[in-house]
Amino acid sequence: MSKRAILAVPAAVALTTAVVAGCAGSGGSSHSGSKATSGSSSTQRTGPAPTESNPPGDIPDNQVYVAYRPPAGGFTVKVPEGWARSSAHGTTTFSDKLNKVEVSQSSTGTAPTVQSVKTGTVPALRKQATHFALGGVTTVHRKAGQAVRITYRTDSAPNQVTGKSVRDSVERYVFFHNGRQVVLTLTGPTGADNVDPWRIVSDSLRWQ
């Protein structure tokens, strides 16, 4: 074997070793990145449900409203036509997708005030509602008279199919007339533009 051939062999061996080492380094880096991705996907949410960037739940402008009168009488209120109706524990609920209108009536000797609602109703809501966040308690005027309005946010019940909750905004009105109290609760996804529909419903209450 010539001296030139003997010198070429170590050079080829060195080149092969360098290529193998480079491939091993590249493979190790890729495996490390895969682990990081897997670990981040296992994080669980413990805070309130996120607000949708483009929230569903807008009630159409052409929605038709019909008068509802409870079996016991005493008042009527307009609710969206075609919504599903159910009753439980003295409360009648009208619902469609992510929106709800709840109506209940009771007898009471005194009219509600901002203070009585803050000390009585709000603590009860805080215990019942998931991730409750109070907006405010104020006095408002509607065609049926003065009402105390509570605004707050809460998580909806989990979807039966996906298990996911959405963040809801709630308007709760407490009306009083001649010893009778009507509570009107309007619920929809946070961010949905339901200002006008909720005004139509809350302004439609009529005592009988």
Side-chain angles (χ1 to χ4, degrees):
M1 181 181 293
S2 67
K3 184 182 294 186
R4 180 176 298 177
I6 293 172
L7 292 174
V9 171
V13 172
L15 178 60
T16 303
T17 303
V19 171
V20 172
C23 291
S26 174
S29 174
S30 175
H31 182 66
S32 175
S34 177
K35 274 190 175 181
T37 302
S38 176
S40 63
S41 66
S42 63
T43 303
Q44 295 183 350
R45 181 184 63 81
T46 57
T51 301
E52 299 286 345
S53 57
N54 293 304
D58 284 3
I59 299 173
D61 293 338
N62 61 353
Q63 174 66 55
V64 176
Y65 298 83
V66 294
Y68 164 71
R69 183 178 183 274
F75 70 94
T76 61
V77 64
K78 288 184 178 180
V79 297
E81 185 180 42
W83 285 22
R85 174 179 164 181
S86 61
S87 296
H89 310 296
T91 297
T92 301
T93 302
F94 300 86
S95 59
D96 179 69
K97 299 175 183 176
L98 300 176
N99 296 301
K100 289 191 303 182
V101 174
E102 297 172 281
V103 188
S104 64
Q105 179 177 205
S106 60
S107 298
T108 181
T110 57
T113 64
V114 169
Q115 187 58 40
S116 68
V117 168
K118 283 183 176 180
T119 58
T121 305
V122 171
L125 290 173
R126 194 180 298 278
K127 291 180 180 179
Q128 298 168 4
T130 304
H131 295 123
F132 176 87
L134 180 65
V137 181
T138 58
T139 299
V140 296
H141 294 277
R142 294 293 185 263
K143 291 182 179 179
Q146 181 173 288
V148 177
R149 181 178 65 183
I150 314 161
T151 58
Y152 62 95
R153 291 185 178 184
T154 182
D155 287 357
S156 70
N159 182 282
Q160 293 182 352
V161 177
T162 65
K164 293 177 61 178
S165 296
V166 299
R167 194 68 173 156
D168 279 340
S169 290
V170 185
E171 295 182 15
R172 186 182 179 99
Y173 295 83
V174 185
F175 293 91
F176 176 84
H177 179 72
N178 290 342
R180 286 176 295 164
Q181 177 174 281
V182 171
V183 177
L184 182 63
T185 307
L186 314 173
T187 304
T190 296
D193 185 13
N194 288 336
V195 174
D196 291 338
W198 288 164
R199 182 60 187 247
I200 290 172
V201 174
S202 64
D203 217 19
S204 70
L205 185 71
R206 297 290 184 274
W207 299 106
Q208 292 185 332

